[in-house]
Amino acid sequence: MYETYLVIVRQKDHFLFLVAIALSFFLLLNNTSSEMGVVRGKSVEIVSFITSPITFIRSLMSLEKKTQILREKNLSLSLKVESMLNLQNENNELLRMLDFKKHTSLLMKPAKVVNKGLQPNLLSIVINSGSKDGLKRNQAVLTPNGVIGKTVEVGENTSIVQLITDVNYRLSVRILPSGATGILRLIKKGMAQIREVQKNVEINIGDKVVTSGFSDIYPPGLPVGSVSGVYDDRGSFQKVVNLKLSNDISSFQNVFVIIEKINEMD
């Protein structure tokens, strides 16, 4: 308390000046004369002019905070919508698989794609089923749209599936309705061809391509794709048939593995 008193005594001039200003303002603001009304009006205008930049800056800061909150909410909603669309697509895929299984006499095991294959020289995927589920090597893997590959390595809980788009993949196929047979192979990314097709067979764009049944792995009649082009192989008695695969290899999440070949598809 004594120290406060000493500070006031030392700064008495400044202290008295502040008290005088405060008293002056009090008297001016409480004066009801018309002249003082004009003074008060001018004072308000001056104070408003001085403080307007500060008010504007505060408004911008508040607007920026609100904008940031709206951005975060928009991002959150976008992620929720994307998640719902993915769930809807997966649900539709599962419904197609269920319907497919009802209309086939093949003994199949459903599996889910859990990863891409890790072998650099093999285009493959990893599924979450293995030997404990009855899987073995060289079993056909497909979706409701058609063949996607075969099992090449089988563990207890997971298996590696070689995809039909691997450059080393070969598949014996039949072209309908002509019945012509040939060997399917990938020529380059996104383009497959059927070789060893007799030249005198009539084949048209859009013809259906299915498994021939000549393989011990694939039952006959499994969808593979459709004809997208037909060319004569110069210097031979064969045709070259370009093929559009029935599956988009990058999009499916669930597959079937044929455990046992019982009969052809209904």
Side-chain angles (χ1 to χ4, degrees):
M1 193 67 184
Y2 180 73
E3 292 178 357
T4 304
Y5 173 75
L6 290 177
V7 170
I8 293 174
V9 170
R10 290 172 186 168
Q11 304 293 334
K12 61 180 183 299
D13 295 337
H14 296 86
F15 181 73
L16 291 173
F17 177 73
L18 291 175
V19 171
I21 289 176
L23 183 61
S24 300
F25 272 108
F26 176 77
L27 294 173
L28 288 172
L29 293 174
N30 285 276
N31 193 324
T32 59
S33 66
S34 58
E35 292 82 0
M36 290 310 303
V38 174
V39 173
R40 283 195 294 268
K42 293 294 183 180
S43 301
V44 170
E45 290 179 1
I46 293 171
V47 172
S48 176
F49 177 77
I50 293 172
T51 59
S52 59
I54 299 174
T55 304
F56 179 71
I57 293 172
R58 287 179 178 176
S59 176
L60 287 179
M61 293 175 63
S62 176
L63 182 61
E64 178 62 26
K65 289 180 180 179
K66 291 179 180 179
T67 303
Q68 182 62 29
I69 293 172
L70 288 174
R71 287 198 195 102
E72 293 174 358
K73 288 183 178 179
N74 184 54
L75 177 60
S76 177
L77 289 173
S78 298
L79 293 174
K80 288 180 180 179
V81 169
E82 187 66 26
S83 177
M84 291 176 67
L85 290 174
N86 289 335
L87 289 173
Q88 182 181 3
N89 292 335
E90 185 174 0
N91 183 60
N92 292 336
E93 183 180 350
L94 291 173
L95 288 174
R96 287 195 300 269
M97 292 184 69
L98 182 61
D99 183 66
F100 174 73
K101 192 172 184 180
K102 287 180 180 178
H103 293 85
T104 179
S105 58
L106 298 170
L107 181 59
M108 300 184 298
K109 174 70 180 178
K112 187 176 182 66
V113 179
V114 295
N115 205 347
K116 292 183 178 180
L118 303 178
Q119 297 171 268
N121 60 340
L122 182 70
L123 190 59
S124 60
I125 56 174
V126 180
I127 59 176
N128 65 346
S129 293
S131 58
K132 72 172 186 177
D133 303 299
L135 272 63
K136 301 176 183 177
R137 292 186 62 186
N138 291 325
Q139 289 178 324
V141 182
L142 68 157
T143 72
N145 293 328
V147 175
I148 64 161
K150 65 179 180 179
T151 56
V152 290
E153 296 292 341
V154 178
E156 184 177 353
N157 299 301
T158 58
S159 299
I160 298 176
V161 176
Q162 181 187 16
L163 295 175
I164 195 172
T165 49
D166 184 68
V167 293
N168 298 311
Y169 194 92
R170 300 291 184 270
L171 177 63
S172 177
V173 296
R174 186 181 301 275
I175 304 171
L176 302 177
S178 66
T181 59
I183 303 299
L184 180 145
R185 67 189 69 183
L186 188 78
I187 302 302
K188 58 183 179 180
K189 185 176 180 181
M191 180 179 177
Q193 284 186 344
I194 304 173
R195 296 273 183 169
E196 302 177 20
V197 180
Q198 292 183 356
K199 185 175 286 188
N200 60 351
V201 178
E202 183 180 353
I203 300 173
N204 299 304
I205 293 176
D207 284 355
K208 188 176 180 180
V209 180
V210 299
T211 52
S212 66
F214 295 159
S215 168
D216 293 333
I217 300 175
Y218 303 95
L222 297 177
V224 177
S226 60
V227 175
S228 60
V230 185
Y231 310 93
D232 289 335
D233 191 4
R234 294 181 180 179
S236 72
F237 297 97
Q238 297 178 347
K239 286 184 176 182
V240 176
V241 179
N242 285 352
L243 178 72
K244 180 182 178 182
L245 297 174
S246 56
N247 273 302
D248 182 356
I249 300 299
S250 63
S251 65
F252 60 84
Q253 298 177 347
N254 300 276
V255 299
F256 283 117
V257 181
I258 299 179
I259 303 298
E260 184 179 347
K261 296 187 293 182
I262 301 174
N263 290 307
E264 291 188 9
M265 295 175 61
D266 292 340

